[in-house]
Amino acid sequence: MKKKKFRLSDNILKFLVVLSAGFTALLALSLVLYVMVKGVGSINLKMLTTSPSELTGSVGVFPMIINTLYMIVLTLVIAVPIGIGSAIYLNEYARKESKLVKAVEFTTQTLAGIPSIIYGLFGYMFFSIFLGLRVSIISGALTLSIMVLPTLIRTTQEALSSVPNMYREGALGMGAKKIYLIRTILLPCSMPGIVTAVILSIGKVVGESAALIFTAGMGYMLTGGLINYMFKSGATLTVQLYLYASRGENLSVCFALASILIVIVLIINVSARLLSKKLEAK
């Protein structure tokens, strides 16, 4: 009787878990489909290849697409090495009981819970004014780098912790140096977790608007080279979406922008997964 009751409760719990997972997946899929159905019809070649203009009434989003991709690349270039390096130090070099490790872990947990508008105010005061970077794409990227660091550090730490200790012991027992062990064994084994951290960071960058309004601004003029362009104001797709939605007009354009954002995120996520599989195979 006890065995039957255990099996019954186990099956009920399994059913509830599957039901919850199915409901979550259905909710996410329905949200994506709703936005895509509402927005795809408003997307055209002219919209994707022109700049917005108040004189002609054009709602082109080409500069915003470039700004969004630019912001993603800059943020990852700044944050990923720092985040992965910090996670490696905390997990492989630092003593777990040390005050430094506890302080860093407490700090990352605190940073993860701070509202994005606070990051925006800090980025504006420190990067834009104090460092003299003004309201620019580089100020926005530096601010977002601080925002995504907690996610990168914690997720990479978990990925490194999941690697069996026998790998470390075997490599060190054969005379491998610590840095060689990290480069050839730990990082390749942790690659799926690291890619997950990068994908989560990309999601934060793409979906952020409050912090970028203060730090990156709302410009849409594509002028200058790649280096000079970093120091100019640039609105991302999310910021432009907020501006259209806040005025309560051009709702079809809002859905179109949301659809473009979804497509960009999907392309980046799929590319990251494919790259992760290739690195794992190597």
Side-chain angles (χ1 to χ4, degrees):
M1 288 294 293
K2 286 183 178 180
K3 204 170 185 181
K4 285 184 179 179
K5 286 182 179 179
F6 174 76
R7 285 181 178 176
L8 179 62
S9 61
D10 188 54
N11 288 333
I12 292 173
L13 183 60
K14 183 179 178 181
F15 171 75
L16 291 174
V17 169
V18 173
L19 183 65
S20 301
F23 176 75
T24 303
L26 182 63
L27 188 64
L29 183 62
S30 60
L31 179 62
V32 171
L33 288 176
Y34 176 78
V35 172
M36 296 296 286
V37 169
K38 284 274 195 177
V40 168
S42 301
I43 299 174
N44 52 61
L45 185 61
K46 183 181 178 181
M47 180 183 185
L48 295 174
T49 56
T50 58
S51 300
S53 173
E54 295 182 0
L55 295 176
T56 62
S58 172
V59 290
V61 297
F62 180 71
M64 291 75 187
I65 295 174
I66 299 300
N67 292 340
T68 302
L69 296 175
Y70 211 62
M71 191 69 69
I72 292 171
V73 172
L74 272 178
T75 303
L76 294 183
V77 166
I78 297 168
V80 168
I82 298 173
I84 295 176
S86 302
I88 290 172
Y89 172 76
L90 292 172
N91 205 74
E92 303 300 325
Y93 288 97
R95 291 184 295 109
K96 304 295 181 183
E97 302 82 12
S98 69
K99 292 182 179 179
L100 176 62
V101 172
K102 290 180 180 179
V104 172
E105 289 179 349
F106 175 76
T107 304
T108 54
Q109 290 173 2
T110 304
L111 286 173
I114 294 176
S116 60
I117 192 71
I118 305 299
Y119 283 104
L121 290 171
F122 169 79
Y124 176 72
M125 294 299 297
F126 184 73
F127 298 120
S128 300
I129 296 179
F130 182 74
L131 294 185
L133 297 177
R134 298 177 296 177
V135 176
S136 59
I137 290 177
I138 187 63
S139 294
L142 288 168
T143 304
L144 292 182
S145 298
I146 300 175
M147 285 184 64
V148 302
L149 271 178
T151 301
L152 281 168
I153 293 172
R154 295 301 299 166
T155 309
T156 305
Q157 266 190 284
E158 293 297 328
L160 290 169
S161 299
S162 66
V163 179
N165 278 328
M166 65 179 69
Y167 289 10
R168 297 175 175 84
E169 294 166 359
L172 294 174
M174 294 176 66
K177 292 183 178 180
K178 189 80 169 180
I179 190 67
Y180 184 81
L181 162 67
I182 293 169
R183 183 171 59 85
T184 60
I185 297 176
L186 296 185
L187 286 180
C189 291
S190 307
M191 195 53 62
I194 294 173
V195 170
T196 300
V198 172
I199 290 173
L200 291 172
S201 301
I202 292 172
K204 272 195 170 185
V205 173
V206 171
E208 186 53 50
S209 59
L212 292 179
I213 289 174
F214 286 99
T215 54
M218 307 172 193
Y220 51 84
M221 299 301 293
L222 296 175
T223 56
L226 287 176
I227 302 298
N228 292 331
Y229 191 65
M230 290 193 302
F231 299 95
K232 295 186 177 180
S233 173
T236 61
L237 284 167
T238 315
V239 171
Q240 191 68 15
L241 173 59
Y242 165 77
L243 293 175
Y244 279 130
S246 63
R247 291 196 291 263
E249 54 189 33
N250 291 330
L251 291 180
S252 59
V253 177
C254 293
F255 280 107
L257 288 170
S259 301
I260 295 169
L261 279 167
I262 290 173
V263 171
I264 289 174
V265 171
L266 285 175
I267 291 173
I268 292 173
N269 287 0
V270 170
S271 302
R273 290 293 182 187
L274 293 174
L275 178 62
S276 173
K277 288 183 178 180
K278 283 189 178 182
L279 292 174
E280 279 186 87
K282 288 183 179 181

